[in-house]
Amino acid sequence: MSRFFVEPDAVSDGRIEITDPDDIKHITKVLRLREGDKLEISDSTECEYDVEIESAEPGIVLTRILHKQPFAREPKLRVTLYQGIPKQGKMETIIQKCVELGVDRIVPVFTERTVVTEKGNFGKKLDRWQKVADEAVKQCRRGLKPEIAKPVSFKEAADAFAQYDRVLIPYESEEKLSLKTALRSFEKTPGTLAVIIGPEGGFSKQEVETAMEKGAYSVTLGKTILRTETAGPAALAMVMYELEL
């Protein structure tokens, strides 16, 4: 069953209105759904609904609520990925896989070794990256659309670490503390957690020291060195396996 997203005020008196032109086109032209056909809808806040189409007009699809429940597939742990901006199309792969794995927010980061530069086209990139996230969240039937935030510097990222219960920085030169050991050492399960991943070439030693001064745990993901497009999804999968109930 196809899933669509609406704002909370679209839900009223046992019905939900779909007014987004792209969604209406997808429902009526692509899926060719009509009266009596069923959809899944998220209110983008806390609940998801099974609905039945009552009418489908050019500017609105009106549905009747059949069943309502809290999000069934949304992780309780809120994980933010700070991703060192990679080259070429790698960011799209990272976003797609991390959304499927349950990330709450992704923040692109300019680090010392980031090759990509700001050339005034990041607005278009962010729009594209958000679209990739939105498509992935529909495919895996989550309840919330993760935000792809505006890019920040490494310093700005580190300054934001205080807002999280825990922060992890996978680092290829870390030899003592594994991610598994770090996760199992927490006295209680965190509600919010940040993972910061370097670009091609990894982090500089100074960046890792700065992150640790701000409260981050330097961890190893294993004996092999992972590519930047592999490290984020791998770390997120480990975090969700260990901490998500």
Side-chain angles (χ1 to χ4, degrees), residues 83-97:
Q83 173 65 51
I85 301 170
K87 295 183 292 184
Q88 302 173 341
K90 297 176 182 178
M91 192 68 166
E92 294 185 10
T93 299
I94 294 167
I95 290 169
Q96 183 188 68
K97 300 312 175 187

Side-chain angles (χ1 to χ4, degrees), residues 93-161:
T93 299
I94 294 167
I95 290 169
Q96 183 188 68
K97 300 312 175 187
C98 287
V99 167
E100 291 177 15
L101 288 164
V103 76
D104 183 61
R105 185 167 174 257
I106 298 176
V107 184
V109 183
F110 286 104
T111 71
E112 286 186 26
R113 295 174 181 170
T114 298
V115 175
V116 177
T117 58
E118 169 60 278
K119 297 180 180 179
N121 62 342
F122 249 86
K124 292 182 179 180
K125 287 186 178 181
L126 287 175
D127 289 343
R128 172 58 188 162
W129 292 344
Q130 187 64 63
K131 185 176 181 181
V132 170
D134 293 350
E135 290 173 351
V137 83
K138 290 179 180 179
Q139 183 276 325
C140 62
R141 298 169 70 183
R142 285 181 55 185
L144 298 174
K145 293 181 179 181
E147 174 197 6
I148 310 303
K150 293 181 179 180
V152 299
S153 66
F154 185 88
K155 181 182 183 303
E156 289 171 321
D159 287 343
F161 288 170

